[in-house]
């Protein structure tokens, strides 16, 4: 359609923002026929830097970019938005405990949840990239009682894409031949990348790779620790790949997933697969007509069951911590 979509991006002056904004402006999110209006949120000290990014965005002369607004007030920036990409978050500083991190981000994501509740468009869709992403999404949705909880999701697509990349390398095949990869649980080191439903074409991966040592000692730790490996190599955390995954997540939710395949999204649990109802946990999901659905009826072996339960119990601990802090 030619009606512009209003897209909010938070943390827009950050590393991920620097890649993400240009991908959105060039049409990678909603396709080559849909204009976008960007609404960029930052904290006040980062607004001058953000003005520089806006200058570059304008200099891109993107035909699909109708307008760019910036600000540090979520109520104003989120007014009327159809999509919100919540990327900005408080990083863990020196000496900061996990509780301090949850507290700092709880304040950010409860305020942003309220602002979305007050002013976002009826069809709002939210993806939280800023860490701790799953629990930040839970806090935002809990502070937005008038918006269906299902509209709040968190990013595990980067983990999903990393898992596909590792599997493609192992099989010496292009990523496009692989399908039905799943990330379960939290976007953290406890995540479980599950290859037991995955396929190359129509061939089961378990028939192609029967190597529990590789699975446990190489594949899973490589995927789970990929962020740290990138920091070690690049000197800063993954940014372009995180931006690309954020685009993939929202684009597939809105425009649909391919037939015979699915994606990984952290979504509010409906109790599927024994995952406690209400927590934001990663599942295999398909999407059609702008609605996602958790893939039903997959069989889980004991290995998968134990890994999923471990990641889910970490999410339950995070929920308990932010409940005690008063954010839910
Ligand atoms: P940067 O530190 O480069 O940028 C973050 C930006 O957010 C900063 O410009 C900061 O001023 C802004 N910000 C902080 N508080 C804000 C608030 N209350 N409102 C608006 N803006 C605010 O980090 P970057 O590398 O861009 O990463 C952003 C977030 O993504 C981090 O939380 C990071 O941990 C998380 N990541 C999540 C990933 C995922 O797969 N879910 C992977 C990549 C990334 O590590």
């Amino acid at each position: 359609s030619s009606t512009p979509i209003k897209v909010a991006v938070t943390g827009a002056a950050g590393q991920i923002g620097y890649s993400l904004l240009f991908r959105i402006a060039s049409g990678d999110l909603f396709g080559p026929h849909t204009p976008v209006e960007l609404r960029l949120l930052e904290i006040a000290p980062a607004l001058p830097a953000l003005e520089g990014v806006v200058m570059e965005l304008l200099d891109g002369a993107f035909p699909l970019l109708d307008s760019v607004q910036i600000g540090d007030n979520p109520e104003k920036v989120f007014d009327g938005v159809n999509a919100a990409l919540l990327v900005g978050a408080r990083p863990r500083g020196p000496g900061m405990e996990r509780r301090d991190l949850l507290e700092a981000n709880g304040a950010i994501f409860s305020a942003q949840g309220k602002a979305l509740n007050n002013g976002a468009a009826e069809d709002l869709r939210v993806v939280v990239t800023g860490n701790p992403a799953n629990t930040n999404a839970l806090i935002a949705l809990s502070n937005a009682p008038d918006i269906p909880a299902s509209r709040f999701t968190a990013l595990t697509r980067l983990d999903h894409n990393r898992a596909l990349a590792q599997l493609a390398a192992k099989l010496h095949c292009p990523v496009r031949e692989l399908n039905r990869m799943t990330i379960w649980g939290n976007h953290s080191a406890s995540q479980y990348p599950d290859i037991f439903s995955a396929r190359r074409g129509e061939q089961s991966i378990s028939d192609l790779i029967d190597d529990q040592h590789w699975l446990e000692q190489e594949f899973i730790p490589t995927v789970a620790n990929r962020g740290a490996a990138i920091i070690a190599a690049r000197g800063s955390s993954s940014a372009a790949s995180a931006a690309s995954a954020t685009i993939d997540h929202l684009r597939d939710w809105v425009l649909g997933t391919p037939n015979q395949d699915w994606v990984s999204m952290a979504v509010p649990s409906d109790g599927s697969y024994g995952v406690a109802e209400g927590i934001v946990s990663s599942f295999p999901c398909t999407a059609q007509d702008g609605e996602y659905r958790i893939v039903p009826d997959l069989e889980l072996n004991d290995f998968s069951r134990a890994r999923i339960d471990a990641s889910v119990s970490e999410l339950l601990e995070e929920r308990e911590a932010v409940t005690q802090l008063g954010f839910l």
Side-chain angles (χ1 to χ4, degrees), residues 107-132:
I108 293 172
F109 286 85
S110 54
Q112 292 184 0
K114 289 186 179 103
L116 289 167
N117 195 60
N118 289 343
E122 194 82 10
D123 67 349
L124 172 74
R125 288 183 181 81
V126 181
V127 52
V128 177
T129 297
N131 281 318

Side-chain angles (χ1 to χ4, degrees), residues 135 138 276-279 315-323 328:
T135 295
L138 177 63
E277 205 175 326
I279 61 169
L315 284 169
L316 290 170
E317 282 169 28
E318 289 182 16
R319 179 170 73 176
E320 180 58 29
V322 297
T323 302
L328 298 193

Side-chain angles (χ1 to χ4, degrees), residues 153-224:
T153 66
L155 188 74
T156 50
R157 184 61 175 272
L158 180 55
D159 308 300
H160 177 102
N161 289 348
R162 286 167 171 169
L164 287 172
Q166 290 304 313
L167 190 56
K170 172 78 171 171
L171 293 171
H172 306 288
C173 76
V175 166
R176 67 174 173 276
E177 292 182 7
L178 304 175
N179 56 78
R180 301 190 180 182
M181 176 64 73
T182 306
I183 304 293
W184 299 91
N186 200 1
H187 167 69
S188 76
S190 77
Q191 66 175 267
Y192 172 51
D194 175 4
I195 60 168
F196 289 104
S197 297
R199 308 184 310 182
R200 176 178 181 181
E202 292 184 1
Q203 260 185 311
S204 155
I205 296 298
S206 346
D207 292 343
L208 294 170
I209 307 173
D210 183 15
D211 185 347
Q212 191 69 15
H213 181 268
W214 172 79
L215 177 64
E216 287 188 51
Q217 304 302 321
E218 290 187 44
F219 175 74
I220 294 174
T222 301
V223 173

Side-chain angles (χ1 to χ4, degrees), residues 202-279:
E202 292 184 1
Q203 260 185 311
S204 155
I205 296 298
S206 346
D207 292 343
L208 294 170
I209 307 173
D210 183 15
D211 185 347
Q212 191 69 15
H213 181 268
W214 172 79
L215 177 64
E216 287 188 51
Q217 304 302 321
E218 290 187 44
F219 175 74
I220 294 174
T222 301
V223 173
N225 301 317
R226 187 70 161 177
I230 285 169
I231 293 173
R234 207 174 84 86
S236 49
S237 58
S238 42
S241 57
S244 194
T246 302
I247 298 261
D248 288 346
H249 174 112
L250 197 56
R251 182 203 56 219
D252 289 351
W253 179 1
V254 173
L255 300 181
T257 48
N259 265 334
Q260 306 302 318
D261 198 3
W262 62 63
V263 297
S264 302
M265 298 171 71
V267 303
S269 174
D270 60 0
S272 292
Y273 299 102
V275 176
E277 205 175 326
I279 61 169

